[in-house]
Amino acid sequence: MSTARLNPRESALYVSERSEFVAINEQKVNQLAGDMEKVWRADAALGAGWSQPELHPDTADDSTIDWIFVVDTLNFCFWSETPRMEDKFTVRYKGSDYTGYWALCAAVNRALDEGVDITNPEFYSDISMEQILHVFRSKTDVQIPLLEKRRDNLIQVGKILLERYRGSFKYCVLEANGSCKKLLELIVSNFECFRDEFTYKDQPISFYKRGQILIADIWGCFQGTGIGCFHDIDYLTMFADYRVPQALVYFGVLEYDKGLMRVWFEERPSSLGTLGR
């Protein structure tokens, strides 16, 4: 066993070979991959570019990089325990209501439309609670989850950008010199809030969900060209979003232990490390 931290791909292999409560059904993996390929080839809309969603910028320039960086700094935890719209964080923007990740995008766009310089670290490195409450104000009585943590993230990354990267994430990307492996290392070494790491069975492992999403978003926005060209883009892995395992269980790719399934169906909160007790 190595004491060095494993990268996300190595971590996934290490954990999957030692997991006690979750197994991978290889036959279902192949079946789902084949089904997804058929759907992908049959529906051209699924291959639409990164800028296709209406809330993503339709530009690919320095300002877009700064937009992506802010959004991915805040891109976590939109979970709601109820399907009712009135019990979700909801942003009203240009006549439409948005929840989840799209509510985040809508709030950032709304702030920019209102003249709030939310993608400028000169502003958000010193953002007040009153200011962030206004930026992420909800149509409902439910505010965005973990608001204080999001404010902490913005202040942290904003100060680093100003101190080390001339006030723009663009210069961090340029420092990686076309390598997403190098860029991921720069992200997690410079910006602590992107450093999602853990120790599993005495082995340091990593997820780096938002760090990988950040790189993939830049690559997608620039269509793999210019500053978005990475010669090792296949270094990235699937992102550990909580919706992904839900879908993989539905399709039989992941198989959960009966005890874990019972916890899931009973919707019982489970603290880290308590499942096997």
Side-chain angles (χ1 to χ4, degrees):
M1 182 184 302
S2 171
T3 57
R5 190 169 305 280
L6 302 179
N7 67 36
R9 191 182 304 275
E10 295 166 339
S11 297
L13 177 62
Y14 179 86
V15 172
S16 65
E17 290 178 338
R18 294 162 177 79
S19 174
E20 299 175 43
F21 304 104
V22 182
I24 298 174
N25 186 319
E26 297 289 348
Q27 182 178 351
K28 292 291 186 178
V29 171
N30 294 326
Q31 180 181 324
L32 180 58
D35 291 343
M36 289 178 65
E37 181 183 17
K38 292 175 184 175
V39 172
W40 187 274
R41 292 184 182 279
D43 190 345
L46 292 176
W50 182 89
S51 63
Q52 189 70 22
E54 61 181 353
L55 293 178
H56 280 176
D58 56 9
T59 56
D61 54 25
D62 292 358
S63 67
T64 318
I65 293 177
D66 292 332
W67 186 96
I68 291 171
F69 183 70
V70 165
V71 167
D72 285 338
T73 295
L74 303 173
N75 183 10
F76 60 91
C77 190
F78 304 103
W79 180 259
S80 174
E81 295 184 2
T82 172
R84 298 196 316 163
M85 194 72 165
E86 58 267 33
D87 293 330
K88 295 176 181 288
F89 165 63
T90 306
V91 172
R92 182 80 169 171
Y93 179 62
K94 291 187 175 180
S96 297
D97 293 335
Y98 299 94
T99 60
Y101 166 77
W102 296 115
L104 168 64
C105 296
V108 171
N109 291 343
R110 180 180 62 186
L112 291 170
D113 291 351
E114 294 172 347
V116 179
D117 210 2
I118 188 60
T119 58
N120 184 348
E122 292 278 3
F123 171 76
Y124 63 74
S125 63
D126 192 36
I127 193 169
S128 68
M129 182 57 69
E130 181 181 3
Q131 288 170 321
I132 199 170
L133 273 168
H134 178 73
V135 168
F136 294 106
R137 64 191 184 276
S138 177
K139 176 186 174 182
T140 67
D141 293 331
V142 181
Q143 71 175 21
I144 189 170
L146 300 176
L147 184 64
E148 290 189 17
K149 175 60 177 173
R150 295 177 200 275
R151 175 174 175 259
D152 291 344
N153 282 9
L154 283 176
I155 292 173
Q156 175 199 122
V157 301
K159 288 180 177 179
I160 295 297
L161 286 182
L162 294 173
E163 292 170 3
R164 304 176 189 174
Y165 291 107
R166 297 155 60 183
S168 176
F169 186 67
K170 163 189 173 180
Y171 295 104
C172 185
V173 179
L174 291 173
E175 187 177 329
N177 198 27
S179 168
C180 70
K181 180 177 183 293
K182 175 62 175 177
L183 182 53
L184 185 60
E185 292 170 352
L186 288 171
I187 291 168
V188 299
S189 62
N190 282 286
F191 306 103
E192 183 180 353
C193 64
F194 281 88
R195 206 178 299 155
D196 44 328
E197 301 170 338
F198 190 65
T199 298
Y200 182 73
K201 296 186 184 298
D202 299 321
Q203 172 63 55
I205 63 172
S206 62
F207 299 95
Y208 301 151
K209 171 193 169 182
R210 288 181 299 112
Q212 294 193 93
I213 290 176
L214 174 55
I215 298 169
D217 280 348
I218 292 172
W219 177 80
C221 172
F222 288 84
Q223 299 181 43
T225 64
I227 197 170
C229 177
F230 300 103
H231 62 78
D232 55 351
I233 191 64
D234 58 351
Y235 178 80
L236 298 184
T237 67
M238 177 182 281
F239 316 130
D241 187 278
Y242 53 77
R243 295 294 190 192
V244 173
Q246 289 177 334
L248 294 181
V249 169
Y250 175 81
F251 286 107
V253 172
L254 292 183
E255 297 175 345
Y256 285 4
D257 171 88
K258 290 182 179 179
L260 178 57
M261 289 293 287
R262 185 167 57 252
V263 169
W264 184 16
F265 280 114
E266 293 176 358
E267 299 183 354
R268 287 192 281 121
S270 179
S271 300
L272 182 65
T274 62
L275 191 59
R277 296 176 183 174

